[in-house]
């Protein structure tokens, strides 16, 4: 890991704050496996936050979510290593997420959200220290000064529709020219050239600084990556970095767990009740056309493996369909091999994992293809028709279409799940096999409760 | 009427005191022309004061003075025939004075201080490292009474009278108080624009160094109107309270002005089309029809001795402020109406950009002949735009003054301009220069201390 710059001293060694600002890469030795593992742990936190945000959670809920995720993932057996893990994982992810505009944007948003939550938790002293690190000339308002200003501060708060609560006593003063947006909106009390900034306004400003600094750093990192690091590290770090951003981090459904193998007899019924729309569509097309192109074979085939279809049953299933179009012989010759390949019985013997939603959404189905995510790839008309066939009620269809318009495809699928099954799905769908297993849970519990 | 030829100095004129026509011979036809202007620039215009002001203490007397400061300031001239000369700059007081006397501009504008002498700007790029760009500029405001045409009935367009001028007075009070109390500025100059408005120059170092974004934020802080011709209400106060700045402006200035002055001078409720304009601002049909009903039947009977406008305003207030109606749009309706009529309307674009040119104080307005004199914000209610000295009046006064030649005093001291120049010096220029000197001194000492420290072992 390249070392540039030396670490600033009072940052966290004094234990005033354990919230690093990631100003410069740490001069630490990192084990290669930690390089990857730490990054994955942090990625779980960021993806969890991303999930929460895209599901429209309120700020307090995001705070709790971030707290839980951080606690669950960013621990380390040695207490002294916790901060290092924090810093190292951040810098590794910088390498991963600096490489395109979209990646940078995502990383910036998640890291800033995370920073915001962690900043709010810090003690007043630690917060002041952090503000000083940003060269923000803030001064805390003493209790006595607050008392004398209380009426005015309260009035400003009421004027912007955010009345002060008894808990809101932390205010800071700063030269008014440092906070032009707040002054312009008359969102602060200004007196003798000083603006009186409330805590929540400070968090926004600090977060903005953090974000802007990280944004510039990411651009620089990208330059370094493309000009030297990627090549230098092509046998060591580069493959890890390139794999990291596409990694899906939930259960991978390569080993079907709770359910008995499904048999081909049951498959039609199960498809109707428990397949997500993407797989239903592929399944129906397969039944209709007795054929699927490669993308569809992969997406549906691996899904069925995850659902519990054994290799022999899979071969029989696909053969039954394809031979109606291409004949049994040609099936054996051209298609059987790739099915065996998917199950890890051929070639590299990699046991392929079923595709996650992220992967499916980002695929690019072409003419004659039926794979991909219908919420993304279908026209509005087709999607409405498909949802109608699944017997989703019209109100739910509108909610789904609304999510689609805002590009929240997984949320759309989750809403569909909820409409079809009549239950809520708090976890949010991010894998077709997850949809299936959740669906089966509901179906089974319903069949068990009815006598 | 024959134009009297006026020479370059009143010493040339012979006045016969005993002649009964003496007074007529002193009088100067009320006009604005290049000849009058030449005399004005020759004898009355305070060149040296302008130079001292624009130098901000960099007069070379202190080692830390910036010798290039004054020469990096842009001036611009509007000459006769509307010829416009930009990027004028000067290296000394005498250069400035001679240039003005020679070119005799109809209007002088002051621009920013640039990174380099504007005369050398072509050698520098617009972007990159070696740049020609503004580095300092006073924070300025421009308030023009034509922006209030929708709320004044006595005059329109370029006219101004003592009934509507108080709108300017109110604007000065509100903005001046805020600049001092809220923003902490001290060196503020208010100037009559010569015809129908006022300019404000905020000259503190901090103000001069504000970026465009910071200037815009102050202008926005002062802005209250958010609508346009299509919205019925220009002013809309949502929120549970008014920001302290607005509340203070209301209770200290606007409310009283509206109720005791404007209401009567503009007769805001006296005619149907006038009160309809106010009723439009009330988003409640039942209230407006109730009031309309009262006022339509009241048209004929004027039993009450009280002025109609006052009565109707009281009625309106009573309904809007009675406890029973707390609907969203009505909570601050009374304040909204008062603000619509009286709150300052500044020209946002003038304040937002460092490179905006603004007319220099003590210029003469070509259309009115009046001098752009300073206004004392502490007694701005007394300022009378119709009594401001004109060019011809000043020249007249000079003629009279020549009767008692007093070589010690400057020419202007014998005219009505004297008062303005003395005010400019004592209230504005001297305190400003004192503060600038201190600033220069302090930063010099700080630098010395710093270099001492870094050299210590």
């Amino acid at each position: 890991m390249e070392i540039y710059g030396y670490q600033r001293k009072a940052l966290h060694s004094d234990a005033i704050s354990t919230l690093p600002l990631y100003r410069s890469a740490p001069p630490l030795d990192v084990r290669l496996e930690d390089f990857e593992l730490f990054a994955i742990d942090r990625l779980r936190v960021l993806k969890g936050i991303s999930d929460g945000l895209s599901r429209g959670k309120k700020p307090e809920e995001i705070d709790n979510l971030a707290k839980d995720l951080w606690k669950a993932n960013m621990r380390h057996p040695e207490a002294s290593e916790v901060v290092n893990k924090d810093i190292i994982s951040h810098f590794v992810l910088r390498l991963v997420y600096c490489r395109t505009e979209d990646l940078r944007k995502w990383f910036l948003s998640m890291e800033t959200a995370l920073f915001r939550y962690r900043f709010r938790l810090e003690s007043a002293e630690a917060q002041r220290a952090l503000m000083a690190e940003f060269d923000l000339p803030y001064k805390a308002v003493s209790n006595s000064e607050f008392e004398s200003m209380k009426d005015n501060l309260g009035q400003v708060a009421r004027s912007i529709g955010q009345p002060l609560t008894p808990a809101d006593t932390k205010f800071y003063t700063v030269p008014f020219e440092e906070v032009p947006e707040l002054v312009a909106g008359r969102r602060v009390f200004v007196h003798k050239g000083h603006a009186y900034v409330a805590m929540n306004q400070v968090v926004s400003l600090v977060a903005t600084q953090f974000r802007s600094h990280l944004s510039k750093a990411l651009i620089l990192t990208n330059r370094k990556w493309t000009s030297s690091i990627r090549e230098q590290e092509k046998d060591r770090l580069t493959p890890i970095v390139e794999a990291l951003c596409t990694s899906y981090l939930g259960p991978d459904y390569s080993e079907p767990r709770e359910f008995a193998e499904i048999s081909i007899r049951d498959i039609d019924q199960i498809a109707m009740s428990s397949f997500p729309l993407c797989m239903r569509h592929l399944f129906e097309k397969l039944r209709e056309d007795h054929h699927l192109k490669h993308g569809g074979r992969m997406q549906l085939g691996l899904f069925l493996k995850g659902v519990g279809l054994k290799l022999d049953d899979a071969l029989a299933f696909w053969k039954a369909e394809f031979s109606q179009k291409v004949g049994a012989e040609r099936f054996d010759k051209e298609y059987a091999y790739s099915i065996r390949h998917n199950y890890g019985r051929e070639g590299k013997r990699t046991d392929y994992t079923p595709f996650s939603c992220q992967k499916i959404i980002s695929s690019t189905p072409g003419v004659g293809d039926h794979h991909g995510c219908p919420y993304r790839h279908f026209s509005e008309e087709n999607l409405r028709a498909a949802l109608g066939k699944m017997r989703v009620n019209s109100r739910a269809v509108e909610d789904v279409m609304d999510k689609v318009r805002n590009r929240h495809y997984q949320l759309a699928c989750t809403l569909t799940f909820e409409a079809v099954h009549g239950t809520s799905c708090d976890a949010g769908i991010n894998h077709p096999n997850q949809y299936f297993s959740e669906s089966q849970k509901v179906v089974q519990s319903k069949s068990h409760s009815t006598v | 009427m024959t134009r009297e030829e006026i020479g370059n100095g009143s010493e040339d004129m012979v006045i016969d005191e005993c002649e009964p026509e003496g007074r007529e011979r002193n009088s100067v036809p009320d006009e604005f022309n290049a000849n009058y202007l030449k005399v004005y620039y020759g004898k009355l215009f305070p060149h040296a004061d302008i130079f001292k002001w624009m130098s901000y203490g960099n007069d070379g007397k202190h080692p830390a003075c910036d010798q290039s400061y004054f020469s990096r300031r842009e001036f611009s001239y509007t000459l006769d025939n509307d010829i416009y000369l930009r990027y004028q700059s000067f290296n000394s007081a005498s250069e400035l004075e001679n240039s003005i006397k020679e070119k005799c501009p109809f209007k002088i504008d002051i621009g920013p201080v640039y990174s380099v002498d504007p005369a050398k700007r072509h050698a520098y790029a617009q972007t990159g490292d070696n740049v020609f760009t503004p580095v300092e500029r006073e924070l300025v405001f421009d308030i023009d009474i034509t922006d209030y045409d929708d709320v004044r009935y006595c005059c329109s367009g370029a006219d101004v009278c003592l009934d509507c001028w108080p709108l300017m007075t109110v604007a000065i009070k509100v903005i001046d108080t805020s600049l001092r109390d809220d923003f902490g500025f001290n060196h503020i100059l208010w100037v009559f624009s010569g015809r129908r408005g006022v300019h404000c120059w905020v000259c503190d170092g901090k103000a001069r160094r504000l970026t465009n974004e910071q200037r815009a934020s102050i202008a926005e802080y002062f802005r209250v109107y958010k609508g346009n011709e299509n919205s019925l209400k220009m002013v809309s106060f949502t929120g549970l309270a008014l920001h302290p700045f607005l509340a203070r402006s209301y209770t200290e200035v606007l409310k009283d002005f509206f109720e005791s002055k404007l209401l009567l001078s503009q007769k805001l409720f006296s005619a149907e089309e006038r009160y309809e304009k106010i009723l439009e601002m009330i988003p409640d049909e039942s209230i407006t029809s109730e009031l309309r009903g009262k006022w339509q039947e009241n048209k004929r009977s004027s039993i009450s001795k009280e002025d109609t406008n006052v009565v109707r305003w009281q009625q309106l207030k009573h309904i809007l402020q009675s406890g029973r109606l707390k609907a969203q749009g009505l909570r601050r309706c009374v304040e909204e109406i008062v603000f619509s009529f009286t709150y300052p309307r500044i020209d946002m674009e003038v304040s937002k950009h460092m490179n905006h040119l603004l007319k220099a104080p003590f210029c003469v307005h070509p259309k009115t002949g009046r001098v752009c004199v300073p206004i004392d914000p502490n007694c701005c209610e007394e300022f009378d735009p119709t009594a401001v000295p004109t060019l011809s009046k000043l020249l007249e006064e000079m003629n009279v003054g020549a009767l008692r030649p007093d070589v010690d005093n400057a020419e202007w001291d014998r005219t009505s301009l004297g008062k303005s120049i003395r005010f400019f010096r004592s209230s504005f220029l001297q305190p400003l220069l004192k503060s600038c000197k201190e600033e220069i001194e302090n930063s010099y000492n700080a630098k010395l201390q710093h270099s001492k420290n870094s050299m210590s072992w």
Side-chain angles (χ1 to χ4, degrees):
Chain A
M1 201 167 174
E2 198 171 327
I3 299 159
Y4 27 101
Y6 47 82
Q7 201 163 21
R8 289 165 69 139
K9 269 182 250 171
L11 200 61
H12 54 82
S13 52
D14 297 21
I16 289 183
S17 157
T18 53
L19 179 53
L21 293 180
Y22 315 110
R23 284 291 171 87
S24 46
L28 301 164
D29 287 323
V30 191
R31 291 200 324 234
L32 201 59
E33 49 201 10
D34 284 344
F35 185 91
E36 187 174 10
L37 291 174
F38 287 177
I40 289 180
D41 283 345
R42 193 186 191 87
L43 202 48
R44 270 188 240 275
V45 178
L46 296 183
K47 292 218 170 175
I49 294 177
S50 175
D51 228 28
L53 285 171
S54 69
R55 290 170 58 217
K57 288 200 177 212
K58 296 200 214 51
E60 315 88 63
E61 294 173 300
I62 298 283
D63 274 357
N64 286 327
L65 177 64
K67 182 164 87 177
D68 294 338
L69 286 166
W70 189 265
K71 218 162 92 168
N73 291 291
M74 293 304 285
R75 285 176 301 194
H76 195 283
E78 282 162 65
S80 59
E81 288 299 303
V82 171
V83 174
N84 288 341
K85 179 170 173 179
D86 183 355
I87 299 179
I88 291 166
S89 59
H90 172 89
F91 277 92
V92 173
L93 288 184
R94 274 201 199 179
L95 288 174
V96 177
Y97 282 90
C98 69
R99 292 163 305 131
T100 74
E101 175 80 36
D102 281 345
L103 290 176
R104 287 197 290 270
K105 218 163 129 178
W106 183 87
F107 184 67
L108 266 175
S109 297
M110 299 314 132
E111 281 284 337
T112 307
L114 179 62
F115 178 81
R116 225 185 259 264
Y117 141 71
R118 293 175 73 193
F119 182 85
R120 269 198 277 271
L121 282 188
E122 294 282 326
S123 70
E125 231 181 275
Q127 284 170 343
R128 273 195 288 280
L130 285 164
M131 290 192 271
E133 285 289 328
F134 278 116
D135 288 327
L136 293 171
Y138 287 82
K139 268 206 296 243
V141 170
S142 67
N143 283 335
S144 54
E145 195 182 354
F146 177 75
E147 283 303 313
S148 66
M149 289 286 172
K150 210 163 62 170
D151 288 338
N152 283 317
L153 297 177
Q155 197 173 346
V156 175
R158 289 202 308 284
S159 77
I160 54 175
Q162 291 171 7
L164 294 181
T165 66
D168 290 317
T169 52
K170 269 199 262 185
F171 271 82
Y172 294 88
T173 59
V174 63
F176 77 86
E177 62 270 20
E178 298 286 329
V179 288
E181 275 170 31
L182 294 176
V183 169
R186 287 194 294 265
R187 303 180 73 81
V188 282
F189 182 64
V190 186
H191 183 64
K192 292 294 182 207
H194 298 287
Y196 286 74
V197 184
M199 189 62 226
N200 62 333
Q201 294 168 324
V202 166
V203 175
S204 285
L205 290 160
V206 172
T208 308
Q209 292 275 344
F210 175 84
R211 192 197 169 100
S212 121
H213 176 269
L214 183 55
S215 174
K216 295 189 191 118
L218 280 176
I219 307 273
L220 288 175
T221 308
N222 186 31
R223 277 194 212 142
K224 276 211 163 94
W225 171 261
T226 30
S227 65
S228 54
I229 305 179
R230 184 176 55 194
E231 184 52 38
Q232 275 169 16
E233 291 291 340
K234 68 179 195 292
D235 296 320
R236 197 178 63 143
L237 301 181
T238 303
I240 300 177
V241 167
E242 286 178 347
L244 268 172
C245 73
T246 52
S247 58
Y248 156 75
L249 296 168
D252 60 13
Y253 299 101
S254 50
E255 290 298 323
R257 284 166 300 177
E258 292 107 74
F259 306 103
E261 307 91 51
I262 59 166
S263 72
I264 335 179
R265 276 171 315 155
D266 306 329
I267 207 169
D268 283 277
Q269 188 205 7
I270 289 183
M272 277 305 125
S273 68
S274 295
F275 278 15
L277 184 56
C278 51
M279 303 305 174
R280 261 181 82 124
H281 178 67
L282 281 166
F283 187 81
E284 276 165 19
K285 281 295 165 193
L286 176 62
R287 285 287 192 225
E288 225 176 273
D289 302 337
H290 311 294
H291 187 270
L292 277 180
K293 291 177 86 171
H294 178 258
R297 293 200 300 272
M298 288 297 280
Q299 188 173 314
L300 182 61
L302 289 172
F303 169 75
L304 290 175
K305 183 175 87 153
V307 144
L309 194 64
K310 291 262 168 267
L311 176 60
D312 296 327
D313 285 340
L315 285 164
F317 167 73
W318 289 98
K319 183 166 181 172
E321 283 303 330
F322 270 59
S323 52
Q324 293 179 55
K325 184 100 185 264
V326 304
E329 246 181 72
R330 236 184 103 191
F331 175 81
D332 288 331
K333 230 159 98 169
E334 292 176 17
Y335 296 96
Y337 177 87
S338 57
I339 295 171
R340 295 166 57 81
H341 198 275
N342 284 351
Y343 280 73
R345 303 288 207 276
E346 299 286 355
K348 259 196 308 180
R349 319 258 162 175
T350 316
D351 203 6
Y352 287 99
T353 55
F355 297 164
S356 66
C357 286
Q358 197 187 359
K359 183 146 183 182
I360 291 172
I361 288 171
S362 56
S363 63
T364 50
V367 177
D369 283 324
H370 296 292
H371 63 278
C373 174
Y375 299 99
R376 179 169 181 216
H377 298 114
F378 276 22
S379 69
E380 179 168 335
E381 220 178 284
N382 290 347
L383 183 54
R384 281 179 186 273
L387 291 172
K389 261 169 60 181
M390 282 177 86
R391 305 220 211 97
V392 177
N393 70 69
S394 50
R395 169 99 184 279
V397 170
E398 291 313 316
D399 289 341
V400 168
M401 295 316 293
D402 183 63
K403 292 283 177 241
V404 167
R405 258 172 250 125
N406 289 313
R407 298 199 235 147
H408 299 313
Y409 308 117
Q410 288 165 241
L411 286 178
C413 189
T414 311
L415 285 178
T416 307
F417 179 96
E418 292 178 350
V420 165
H421 296 79
T423 58
S424 67
C425 176
D426 288 322
I429 300 297
N430 43 39
H431 198 294
N433 287 89
Q434 177 205 6
Y435 184 108
F436 179 82
S437 56
E438 292 296 321
S439 170
Q440 283 288 290
K441 274 192 209 151
V442 174
V443 164
Q444 310 251 331
S445 72
K446 277 192 185 145
S447 69
H448 285 155
S449 52
T450 60
V451 177
Chain B
M1 189 159 34
T2 54
R3 258 212 262 163
E4 281 193 19
E5 201 73 300
I6 299 179
N8 255 339
S10 56
E11 303 94 289
D12 296 335
M13 285 166 66
V14 173
I15 315 292
D16 192 342
E17 215 177 335
C18 302
E19 275 192 32
E21 291 106 352
R23 226 189 283 141
E24 278 159 23
R25 293 230 349 235
N26 292 334
S27 76
V28 170
D30 204 1
E31 273 183 48
F32 173 89
N33 62 53
N35 291 322
Y36 290 10
L37 206 51
K38 230 175 168 64
V39 179
Y40 179 75
Y41 286 139
K43 298 282 171 179
L44 298 175
F45 183 84
H47 303 275
D49 296 87
I50 299 290
F51 170 77
K52 282 192 193 140
W53 171 20
M54 290 289 124
S55 301
Y56 286 96
N58 290 297
D59 54 8
K61 293 195 182 128
H62 190 283
C65 282
D66 181 350
Q67 305 284 52
S68 72
Y69 188 84
F70 180 72
S71 52
R72 291 186 281 122
R73 168 83 64 173
E74 177 188 2
F75 294 87
S76 78
Y77 292 158
T78 306
L79 305 180
D80 203 353
N81 327 325
D82 282 331
I83 295 173
Y84 189 55
L85 297 175
R86 268 202 75 172
Y87 299 114
Q88 306 295 294
S89 59
F90 312 102
N91 293 317
S92 67
S94 51
E95 259 186 53
L96 173 70
E97 184 170 344
N98 293 336
S99 166
I100 293 176
K101 283 178 176 170
E102 189 213 334
K103 297 227 162 61
C104 202
F106 276 29
K107 183 160 83 109
I108 304 173
D109 286 305
I110 301 177
V113 177
Y114 283 94
S115 50
V116 292
D117 186 334
K120 304 192 180 111
R121 66 191 180 281
H122 297 298
Y124 294 84
Q126 285 296 313
T127 52
D129 285 339
N130 222 13
V131 199
F132 173 68
T133 186
V135 294
E136 276 193 25
R137 204 273 192 278
E138 294 76 7
L139 174 64
V140 294
F141 296 94
D142 179 356
I143 306 175
D144 187 325
I145 208 157
T146 54
D147 286 338
Y148 293 74
D149 279 356
D150 60 307
V151 295
R152 57 174 186 150
Y153 299 109
C154 52
C155 309
S156 69
D159 300 326
V160 120
C161 70
L162 290 178
D163 279 337
C164 53
W165 177 261
L167 286 165
M168 296 291 99
T169 303
V170 160
I172 293 176
K173 286 196 184 154
V174 169
I175 305 277
D176 188 77
T177 305
S178 182
L179 287 171
R180 287 176 206 275
D181 290 357
D182 299 347
F183 292 99
F185 294 125
N186 294 307
H187 303 288
I188 302 173
L189 177 72
W190 288 92
V191 186
F192 176 54
S193 74
R195 185 159 61 156
R196 57 186 199 217
V198 294
H199 296 163
C200 178
W201 298 77
V202 185
C203 303
D204 297 54
K206 196 166 164 190
R208 301 192 321 261
R209 293 185 281 269
L210 290 171
T211 64
N212 285 355
E213 188 196 3
Q214 290 160 343
R215 286 159 206 266
S217 76
I218 298 177
E220 282 294 330
Y221 179 88
F222 287 142
R223 185 157 79 113
V224 163
Y225 298 98
K226 296 284 161 84
N228 55 31
E229 313 84 52
N230 297 327
S231 28
L232 292 167
K233 258 209 288 206
M234 305 284 248
V235 179
S236 181
F237 293 136
T238 53
L240 305 163
L242 285 182
H243 186 281
F245 157 61
L246 298 177
R248 177 190 67 213
S249 305
Y250 181 72
T251 52
E252 288 182 6
V253 181
L254 302 178
K255 177 171 191 277
D256 187 61
F257 171 67
F258 181 83
E259 294 187 336
S260 49
K261 298 259 169 51
L262 198 67
L263 200 50
L264 300 159
S265 68
Q266 299 297 324
K267 301 194 187 6
L268 294 176
F269 287 89
S270 59
E272 186 177 331
E273 66 170 22
R274 291 192 189 185
Y275 66 62
E276 276 303 323
K277 247 202 351 214
I278 297 179
L279 291 179
E280 256 172 25
M281 300 187 205
I282 303 173
D284 185 309
E285 273 297 333
S286 62
I287 295 181
T288 52
S289 39
E290 189 182 329
L291 288 169
R292 201 177 280 117
K294 271 208 203 17
W295 299 341
Q296 272 165 356
E297 60 179 56
N298 214 0
K299 242 197 295 205
R300 303 221 178 80
S301 60
S302 31
I303 305 167
S304 162
K305 283 219 193 94
E306 264 199 285
D307 185 288
T308 321
N309 299 291
V310 172
V311 169
R312 290 180 178 179
W313 174 245
Q314 293 302 330
Q315 287 170 337
L316 184 152
K317 267 208 304 186
H318 182 77
I319 288 191
L320 283 177
Q321 286 173 342
S322 67
R324 64 183 214 254
L325 307 147
K326 282 300 174 197
Q328 209 21 341
L330 295 173
R331 206 203 299 262
R332 303 221 173 273
C333 204
V334 172
E335 286 91 329
E336 284 166 354
I337 295 173
V338 172
F339 271 74
S340 306
F341 280 91
T342 62
Y343 183 83
R345 305 181 182 191
I346 62 173
D347 185 331
M348 300 289 289
E349 289 312 302
V350 169
S351 307
K352 277 165 42 168
H353 304 286
M354 276 178 103
N355 56 13
H356 195 101
L357 295 158
L358 193 63
K359 184 160 64 175
F362 296 106
C363 280
V364 182
H365 197 296
K367 302 243 169 66
T368 61
R370 298 202 193 271
V371 180
C372 302
V373 292
I375 301 175
D376 182 353
N378 293 326
C379 50
C380 50
E381 323 75 57
E382 290 162 21
F383 181 82
D384 181 354
T386 61
V388 173
T390 61
L391 189 51
S392 42
K393 175 152 179 260
L394 290 174
L395 263 37
E396 222 173 85
E397 287 170 349
M398 273 170 54
N399 290 351
V400 171
L403 293 172
R404 317 179 296 278
D406 189 344
V407 280
D408 289 342
N409 277 356
E411 200 75 43
W412 50 258
D413 216 356
R414 300 178 229 160
T415 66
S416 6
L417 198 60
K419 184 159 161 248
S420 294
I421 293 183
R422 268 176 265 123
F423 171 77
F424 177 80
R425 287 180 179 180
S426 61
S427 297
F428 171 71
L429 190 57
Q430 275 150 20
L432 173 65
L433 292 179
K434 180 156 175 269
S435 158
C436 287
K437 292 280 186 194
E438 279 167 17
E439 221 180 283
I440 291 177
E441 186 94 34
N442 289 341
S443 77
Y444 183 68
N445 290 338
K447 278 201 193 110
L448 278 183
Q449 196 58 38
H450 189 256
S451 55
K452 275 197 197 133
N453 289 344
S454 61
M455 287 198 288
S456 63
W457 294 75

